[in-house]
Amino acid sequence: MAGSDSKCFFCNKSGARSCSKCHSISYCSTRCQKKDWSTHKLLCASFASFDISSRPTDEHVRAIFFPVNDPRPQMVWLHLRCGENEGTKCQSVDTSPFLGLDENNQKDSRTDVISYNHVLHRKLSNSIHVSFCNSPRHDESVANKSIANMSASGGNIHFWQGPVTSYGSNGTVRIGIAEEITYRDLDMVDFRHIVDYLTESRDHRIPHTIRPNTVGVRINCVGDRNICDRPYLELIEVPPTDSIFAEPNTDSDIASCIDLPILTRRYPPHPSWNNDRRNYDNVLATFLNLSCYDPKLGTDRLHNGELG
């Protein structure tokens, strides 16, 4: 942690030190930092490397985008559009490019405002806006991988659907009251509040399109076949909340090299045979998960076309 004289995000103690990489959130101790690390690490490097001098115009604000098919959120620029509301000039944030909408269809999106963190029981001094699609679209049945990945670290996967974008404003926004809003850049403190909101919302505040189970193949090992009487290969249904869809780097190394989107996951051993190591033998799964990475060669996945 880098030196600073601020307050700890978690316990509010003075004399906390900021994160040495992003310098955007402070902790009073290693213990408090560890509370946040599983979440903080998902965006810390991206935030630290996001070049603030690359702001396209003064009418752009730094925001956070939660993509559907990427396990990590991203820092992005959002454009502020000028308009009028009941005769008063005002600004609005254009989230349409990141929600897969054009400018004319932004009315199909919905925005929730966060002014209180129900996890930390803390009122926020500034507001945070969370935008998502509000009308049925083809990708709303797809679980948002970046949000599922964040919530999976806490043991529960929350099934948000479609892309989500968040941005900030100064002060507290009062719902239903027309007033001028000034927008601001988000930081890593805002990110923590957003994560708490996304992973604690019970109704998820989005259309409840039910994603059907995915048909998968269970490759049974010696113990499952000989003792549990399972077949060599077995068709199974995998629910959308299964951790295989949320955990990063679960794709087969072989499948990545031949460009086939195959995800693999190890099942826990059955108690009836887990004491005998011979029962763990699983030739087909071994072939599927052969590594193409040779640690002796650094980051290269292949060496002269040969497997690691």
Side-chain angles (χ1 to χ4, degrees):
M1 292 187 290
S4 75
D5 187 22
S6 55
K7 291 186 177 181
C8 177
F9 174 78
F10 281 102
C11 66
N12 215 30
K13 287 183 180 178
S14 300
R17 305 174 71 185
S18 62
C19 171
S20 60
K21 192 172 188 68
C22 70
H23 303 284
S24 181
I25 190 170
S26 299
Y27 311 101
C28 68
S29 63
T30 302
R31 180 180 179 182
C32 281
Q33 188 178 29
K34 285 183 177 179
K35 289 181 182 179
D36 197 31
W37 179 242
S38 62
T39 297
H40 184 81
K41 67 181 180 181
L42 297 175
L43 191 64
C44 180
S46 176
F47 181 89
S49 62
F50 194 73
D51 186 5
I52 196 70
S53 66
S54 68
R55 190 189 305 271
T57 70
D58 291 339
E59 296 178 343
H60 283 79
V61 291
R62 183 175 59 196
I64 301 174
F65 174 51
F66 298 88
V68 172
N69 295 316
D70 194 315
R72 291 177 180 266
Q74 304 168 5
M75 302 303 304
V76 297
W77 293 114
L78 290 183
H79 183 240
L80 302 178
R81 298 185 296 187
C82 295
E84 288 191 5
N85 183 13
E86 299 179 356
T88 303
K89 291 185 178 181
C90 60
Q91 288 182 320
S92 62
V93 180
D94 184 12
T95 60
S96 57
F98 295 96
L99 298 184
L101 305 169
D102 58 44
E103 289 188 25
N104 296 325
N105 289 331
Q106 191 166 352
K107 62 181 181 297
D108 293 329
S109 66
R110 174 175 169 176
T111 301
D112 284 351
V113 179
I114 309 172
S115 58
Y116 188 86
N117 186 320
H118 291 275
V119 177
L120 300 175
H121 307 289
R122 183 183 303 173
K123 184 178 180 179
L124 308 187
S125 56
N126 294 308
S127 297
I128 303 170
H129 307 251
V130 179
S131 295
F132 45 87
C133 292
N134 196 40
S135 59
R137 296 170 61 241
H138 70 280
D139 59 352
E140 280 190 348
S141 61
V142 178
N144 187 303
K145 192 173 183 180
S146 58
I147 297 177
N149 187 37
M150 292 186 305
S151 57
S153 62
N156 296 310
I157 296 178
H158 293 265
F159 186 44
W160 280 81
Q161 300 160 300
V164 176
T165 306
S166 58
Y167 53 94
S169 63
N170 293 309
T172 302
V173 175
R174 292 174 292 178
I175 306 299
I177 299 179
E179 56 184 337
E180 184 177 353
I181 300 175
T182 57
Y183 296 97
R184 61 182 177 87
D185 291 342
L186 289 182
D187 58 25
M188 293 301 292
V189 171
D190 295 309
F191 176 61
R192 179 67 210 202
H193 292 312
I194 295 167
V195 170
D196 285 342
Y197 170 79
L198 293 174
T199 57
E200 288 299 317
S201 296
R202 298 306 177 190
D203 60 1
H204 308 130
R205 294 175 169 80
I206 55 175
H208 289 275
T209 303
I210 303 300
R211 180 187 178 189
N213 291 345
T214 299
V215 177
V217 177
R218 175 173 171 140
I219 307 173
N220 290 311
C221 62
V222 171
D224 281 336
R225 298 200 310 271
N226 293 345
I227 298 176
C228 299
D229 200 28
R230 286 182 174 273
Y232 213 125
L233 298 175
E234 181 180 3
L235 286 179
I236 59 171
E237 289 192 347
V238 184
T241 55
D242 193 284
S243 60
I244 194 171
F245 299 118
E247 295 173 353
N249 302 320
T250 53
D251 54 308
S252 163
D253 208 11
I254 290 286
S256 296
C257 287
I258 60 178
D259 201 25
L260 287 177
I262 301 175
L263 299 179
T264 62
R265 177 189 171 207
R266 183 195 299 270
Y267 275 90
H270 194 275
S272 64
W273 55 258
N274 66 346
N275 291 325
D276 189 341
R277 300 301 303 178
R278 293 173 297 180
N279 289 322
Y280 285 79
D281 289 346
N282 196 328
V283 176
L284 290 184
T286 300
F287 286 162
L288 184 62
N289 286 281
L290 282 173
S291 176
C292 298
Y293 171 76
D294 188 341
K296 298 178 182 178
L297 302 175
T299 58
D300 292 337
R301 296 174 70 85
L302 287 173
H303 177 60
N304 296 330
E306 297 176 356
L307 299 179

